[in-house]
Structure formats: structure tokens, C-alpha cells
Amino acid sequence: MPVAPSAAPTTSARRLTVNFYLYAFLDEFVLLYPVYALLFTDTGLSVAQVSSLFVIWSLTGVVLEVPSGVWADAVSRRLLLAGAPLLGAAGFGLWVVAPSYWAFALGFVLWGARGALQSGAAEALLFDELDRVGRADRYGRVIGRASTIGLLAALLAIAVAGPVFAAGGYVAVGIASVLASLLCAAVGLALPEHRAPLPVDGPGAETADPASPGCLAILRSALVEARHNPGVRRALLLLPAMLGIWGALEEYVPLLAGTVVPASGVPLLVLLVWLGVMLGGLLTPIGQRLPAGRFAVAVGAAPVALALGALSGRPAGFVLVAAAFCALQMASLVADVRLQESIGGSARATMTSLAGLGTELVTIGVYGGYALASTVAGHGAIFALFALPYLALAVALRWAGPPAEPRSDAPEGVETN
């Protein structure tokens, strides 16, 4: 049970959030981000080969998302968050030491595994630790700020990568990326965790094998709660729909910008959109307080702004695009908060990973749809097309009313916190 607010819980919450923010920063401070595609092509890879690497990356996340969430409920989430960056460090080092297609592919598998181990475990650890000291209401603020800090780290990595690359080439940016990942692992090890892992019985329990009977029981308990808890079920549908579409469209923002400004001006427009996303993270607490009707209006206004901005054919239209991404980032984080608040059982990481799997599948669908649409339409029209589902989502949110209150009980077979 959460404890009553006092000076000690406040200090514990502050220590947790500071470490969590630092972890979010180091996780995204990867100097290879802006140059790894160049590394691939300079090694001799074709565009088709580069695209196949991205597919390997995405599929790794899809395959490992739910098993890693189950694992995060069966073992220490803190240790998983500490170990995940080490996988990324190994992949980055492999890329610059032995650049080749298969080295890049293995690196993306390791990077995908890194993301899968963090997904679910990070949110679950943060919520449970805040809840332990009676500060669960701060989850939305903290996760929103962490997302903004991660984006700031990525922007700083882009700014720093230029001079570092000029000084030492791919080896220098690779070493910097490895060091950042090692520091991220150290910070992950410093995250507090007072939760006891769920009991895992049966063969494979000694190592918490995700395929063991005990781990399968954790997955079943999550599925049972998703079936019986209306709040969880609604959040599991809302979060992938909210995040998956605009999260995929974000990858195409530079292409949209290239239709309205010369190549030299593209970074500025991309930066404008990123600023919108960062602001959306900071607005998460406000989004939490919005009544259901106003929240639906905010979601409904986003696709209108996105379509108008994308179809304008002018640089000024990117102000509307940035505003739309701001609203959608805020709404996505609020959906994550709703999910965490609705979970009544102990398989929190597993439940969060189920939402992550849905998001990955929606994102892959948008990638495929965008590729098909690009054969008959321009980028502005495609952005407007993918904005339409958000109008339907806004209508559904308006008619559905306020989200269900968090349940104090859990369905049969699901442990309560």
C-alpha cells in the first residue's frame, strides 16, 4: 500500500525522478544517430539493403516486446534496465569495428532487444516506485518530462556528432555512443526498486525463462485482466492507435519538409516539429486534467491542423504540423498514464508491453501504407490521409465519456499490488 506523503517519500521520489531523467538522457544521447545511415552506404550497402536493416530492427522489437515484458515482471526490472544499454553498446561497437551488412544486422537485433527490454520495464518501475511513496499522481508529469529530455538529448547528439565526426570519423562517434550506453547502464543500476519479482514456478524458474510455465502464467494473468478490466482494455486499444500513426509519420517529416524548402532548410522545419513534440511532453499534466469532452476536442483538432499544415505547401504550414504533433504527443502520454492507472494486477510490465506490441504493429502498418500511397500521391496528401483516423478516434473518445476509474480489485487469477 502507498505510504502517506512525508519528507522521506518526497526525497525518495526526487531521487527516483532525477535518476530516471538522467537515464532517459543517456539512452538517447547516441552520436551515431545522425550518421549511421551514411556509415551503411559508405560501407557499400544499397538502399534496399539499408531498408532491410530497418525491417530487421522493427521485427526484433515485435518478436521480443511481450516476452521482455513478461520477463520484467518475473525478474528485477532495475537489472533489465541496466543490462539493456549494454546490448546497444555492443551493437554500436560492432558497427565501427567490423562494418559489414551482417554486422549491421546483428547490431540492429541488439538495438531492438535493448528497446524491448526497456519497454514496459521502465514505465512499470517508475509507476510502482512512485506509487510506493504515495506519488503515483506524478507519473504523467515525470514520464512527460522524461520524453522531452530524451528528445533534447537526441538534438544535442545531432549537434555534437558533427565536430566529433570531423575529428575522428565513424570510430569517434561510435566510441562516444558506446560510452553513453555504458553510463546509461550505470544509471540504470542506480534506479531504486523495492518490488519483489513475481514468483515463477516450474521448469526454467531458476533463470526466469520467458517460455517457462511460470512466465506463461504471468502472461495469462495479464490477458485475463485485459479481458475483465474495462479501463485496461480501453487503454490497450487507445495507446497503440494514438501513438502508432503519428510516431510513424514523424519519420517522414524530413521528406514533407523537402517539398516546401531547399535541402538546407529541412533541418529547421524538422527542429520546429521536434519542439512541438517536446512541448507536448511537458503538457502531459494539463492533458490529464482535461475533461473527457475537451480531451476529445484536443485530439480532434490535431488531425485538422496536421492536414492543413501538410497540404499548405508552405514553410509556415509547419507551425500547424508542429502544433498537431504537440497535441498528439500529449494525448499519447495521457493514454499511457490511463493505462498505468487502470492496471490492478501485478503484471504491469507485461501489460505495458502488450500496448507496445500493438503500437509496433500499427507503426509497421503505417510504414507499409505510406510506401503504397507514395506511388500515387505526394507527401502532403499522405499526411492528410493518415490524419483521418484521429478524427474517428476523437469521436470515439467523445462518446465513450471519461475513462474508467482505476480498479482496486483484480480479476480472478490476477494479484493486486
Side-chain angles (χ1 to χ4, degrees):
M1 293 291 293
V3 298
S6 66
T10 299
T11 301
S12 298
R14 185 179 299 113
R15 185 183 304 115
L16 167 67
T17 54
V18 169
N19 283 343
F20 197 83
Y21 293 152
L22 184 56
Y23 186 92
F25 180 90
L26 291 170
D27 188 49
E28 295 293 338
F29 190 67
V30 179
L31 270 62
L32 273 169
Y33 275 162
V35 299
Y36 67 71
L38 296 178
L39 171 62
F40 299 160
T41 55
D42 286 349
T43 304
L45 271 61
S46 65
V47 174
Q49 287 176 310
V50 173
S51 297
S52 70
L53 292 175
F54 293 153
V55 171
I56 291 172
W57 191 13
S58 296
L59 289 178
T60 300
V62 169
V63 171
L64 297 180
E65 181 70 40
V66 174
S68 67
V70 174
W71 203 19
D73 284 324
V75 301
S76 168
R77 294 165 182 165
R78 177 174 62 89
L79 291 182
L80 289 185
L81 292 175
L86 299 180
L87 299 179
F92 299 149
L94 184 63
W95 283 0
V96 296
V97 170
S100 66
Y101 177 83
W102 293 110
F104 298 146
L106 178 56
F108 269 126
V109 169
L110 292 171
W111 200 350
R114 169 182 179 159
L117 289 177
Q118 293 167 323
S119 175
E123 295 90 342
L125 182 146
L126 176 62
F127 188 91
D128 280 348
E129 288 300 310
L130 288 174
D131 188 46
R132 187 186 68 85
V133 296
R135 296 290 192 272
D137 60 314
R138 295 188 59 189
Y139 174 81
R141 177 182 290 106
V142 175
I143 202 70
R145 288 178 178 175
S147 69
T148 297
I149 289 171
L151 287 171
L152 285 172
L155 287 175
L156 183 59
I158 292 173
V160 173
V164 173
F165 182 79
Y170 293 117
V171 173
V173 293
I175 291 174
S177 299
V178 169
L179 290 176
S181 294
L182 294 178
L183 289 173
C184 185
V187 173
L189 199 59
L191 288 169
E193 184 179 26
H194 296 84
R195 152 197 170 273
L198 297 182
V200 179
D201 302 320
E206 296 79 4
T207 58
D209 178 359
S212 71
C215 284
L216 292 178
I218 293 174
L219 176 59
R220 283 195 299 271
S221 73
L223 295 175
V224 167
E225 181 171 8
R227 185 168 65 251
H228 292 283
N229 186 329
V232 168
R233 187 166 60 249
R234 179 179 175 183
L236 286 176
L237 294 174
L238 175 61
L239 185 54
M242 189 69 70
L243 178 58
I245 299 174
W246 79 261
L249 288 180
E250 189 179 22
E251 301 295 331
Y252 298 97
V253 167
L255 300 180
L256 178 65
T259 64
V260 298
V261 295
S264 59
V266 167
L268 290 177
L269 294 185
V270 173
L271 176 60
L272 177 62
V273 174
W274 276 36
L275 290 175
V277 176
M278 287 189 284
L279 179 59
L282 297 177
L283 292 177
T284 302
I286 296 177
Q288 287 180 256
R289 295 193 294 268
L290 287 177
R294 292 185 180 180
F295 183 75
V297 169
V299 173
V304 175
L306 180 60
L308 291 176
L311 292 171
S312 68
R314 297 180 179 181
F318 270 73
V319 175
L320 291 176
V321 174
F325 275 63
C326 174
L328 293 173
Q329 165 74 330
M330 179 271 292
S332 299
L333 290 171
V334 170
D336 174 55
V337 174
R338 297 287 183 256
L339 173 61
Q340 300 302 328
E341 291 176 341
S342 299
I343 296 172
S346 299
R348 183 176 300 279
T350 303
M351 201 76 72
T352 307
S353 288
L354 288 172
L357 174 60
T359 301
E360 288 282 355
L361 293 176
V362 171
T363 298
I364 292 174
V366 173
Y367 287 156
Y370 202 105
L372 290 175
S374 66
T375 62
V376 295
H379 295 293
I382 299 174
F383 268 70
L385 177 65
F386 278 109
L388 293 178
Y390 285 114
L391 289 175
L393 189 58
V395 172
L397 287 170
R398 179 65 183 87
W399 284 104
E405 292 295 325
R407 287 180 51 153
S408 58
D409 62 323
E412 184 178 352
V414 180
E415 298 182 25
T416 55
N417 288 327

